Amino acid sequence: EAGVTQFPSHSVIEKGQTVTLRCDPISGHDNLYWYRRVMGKEIKFLLHFVKESKQDESGMPNNRFLAERTGGTYSTLKVQPAELEDSGVYFCASSLIGTSGRNEQFFGPGTRLTVL
Amino acid sequence: AQSVTQLGSHVSVSEGALVLLRCNYSSSVPPYLFWYVQYPNQGLQLLLKYTSAATLVKGINDFEAEFKKSETSFHLTKPSAHMSDAAEYFCAVSATGGGNKLTFGTGTQLKVEL
């Protein structure tokens, strides 16, 4: 069974440019999450989808970040325009249906974003 | 609200020695607790989780952790370190019945020396 996949693995862009990150969850997983780790700091929650609906987007830093999950399958996270402080590793995770908090989240390898 | 504190951003042990990685949590509701490991160039992999059943939780690769409510701790241990255990370890908490958001600690890089 394929795990969570993310594309690209690395992205280097200049300040002011736009970048779109993609996440393909494990097939059948209704829950999809985005997290971010800025260098030297903890992994922080960005948002949570249940199917195509945003369940919790309390961690989104600002309106330069836009996440979508059309059709409840893969998800994209767009940063527009990118700023220096957006650099970090963006992780995607997925889990089975349910929001009890006990379900294991399966993580992708992450996208390392560098904004110059 | 939840928070996690991992004491020691870097821990070094000798091969064959005991591994102890510390995690303390804060939660206003009964927590679910997780330990994840990240090997180089890979995603986070679940080692073990506490979901209010047994307080001593056994995970993969001989790791285990004990939930101690009185100490608000969930320390990770392994009796005998192996070179392949070198990785970064993350403790995380989620709230029971409050959605699935994970709150992570800052991570502990484990180095295993010969």
Side-chain angles (χ1 to χ4, degrees):
Chain A
E1 178 183 328
V4 177
T5 58
Q6 294 186 245
F7 182 83
S9 57
H10 294 82
S11 181
V12 181
I13 61 173
E14 295 191 351
K15 176 182 172 180
Q17 290 186 320
T18 297
V19 63
T20 300
L21 313 181
R22 174 172 169 142
C23 168
D24 286 80
I26 293 172
S27 177
H29 281 193
D30 287 338
N31 290 303
L32 187 149
Y33 317 84
W34 285 97
Y35 293 86
R36 177 176 73 173
R37 189 182 194 194
V38 173
M39 191 187 317
K41 302 214 171 172
E42 71 271 30
I43 300 169
K44 282 195 170 180
F45 169 83
L46 295 178
L47 88 159
H48 169 205
F49 284 99
V50 177
K51 297 185 180 179
E52 66 274 11
S53 300
K54 291 176 185 174
Q55 178 80 10
D56 180 356
E57 52 184 327
S58 61
M60 293 289 265
N62 51 60
N63 59 11
R64 294 186 294 102
F65 288 75
L66 175 65
E68 295 181 322
R69 193 183 182 194
T70 306
T73 54
Y74 71 91
S75 174
T76 58
L77 180 65
K78 180 191 287 188
V79 185
Q80 179 183 29
E83 298 288 345
L84 299 179
E85 64 263 26
D86 300 332
S87 295
V89 180
Y90 290 76
F91 292 102
C92 176
S94 70
S95 71
L96 288 168
I97 193 169
T99 56
S100 69
R102 67 168 60 216
N103 289 336
E104 175 184 356
Q105 294 184 23
F106 294 83
F107 282 77
T111 293
R112 182 174 297 277
L113 175 63
T114 302
V115 182
L116 302 176
Chain B
Q2 294 84 40
S3 67
V4 173
T5 301
Q6 290 185 243
L7 292 176
S9 58
H10 291 81
V11 170
S12 183
V13 300
S14 299
E15 190 174 34
L18 172 72
V19 175
L20 170 61
L21 304 183
R22 298 178 186 276
C23 172
N24 288 86
Y25 71 91
S26 172
S27 179
S28 55
V29 298
Y32 294 134
L33 293 159
F34 305 81
W35 274 100
Y36 281 87
V37 60
Q38 185 181 24
Y39 299 103
N41 301 315
Q42 294 185 30
L44 280 72
Q45 178 184 358
L46 183 69
L47 276 177
L48 49 81
K49 64 179 181 180
Y50 166 76
T51 56
S52 72
T55 56
L56 181 62
V57 181
K58 295 187 183 297
I60 61 172
N61 299 336
D62 295 327
F63 282 96
E64 64 180 39
E66 187 172 7
F67 172 69
K68 292 187 177 180
K69 184 178 178 181
S70 61
E71 299 177 9
T72 60
S73 68
F74 191 57
H75 302 330
L76 182 70
T77 60
K78 179 173 179 174
S80 177
H82 192 272
M83 296 296 290
S84 59
D85 295 326
E88 191 161 20
Y89 293 79
F90 297 91
C91 182
V93 63
S94 69
T96 55
N100 295 353
K101 175 171 65 176
L102 288 173
T103 299
F104 284 89
T106 49
T108 298
Q109 189 74 44
L110 176 66
K111 182 178 180 181
V112 182
E113 299 175 316
L114 288 172

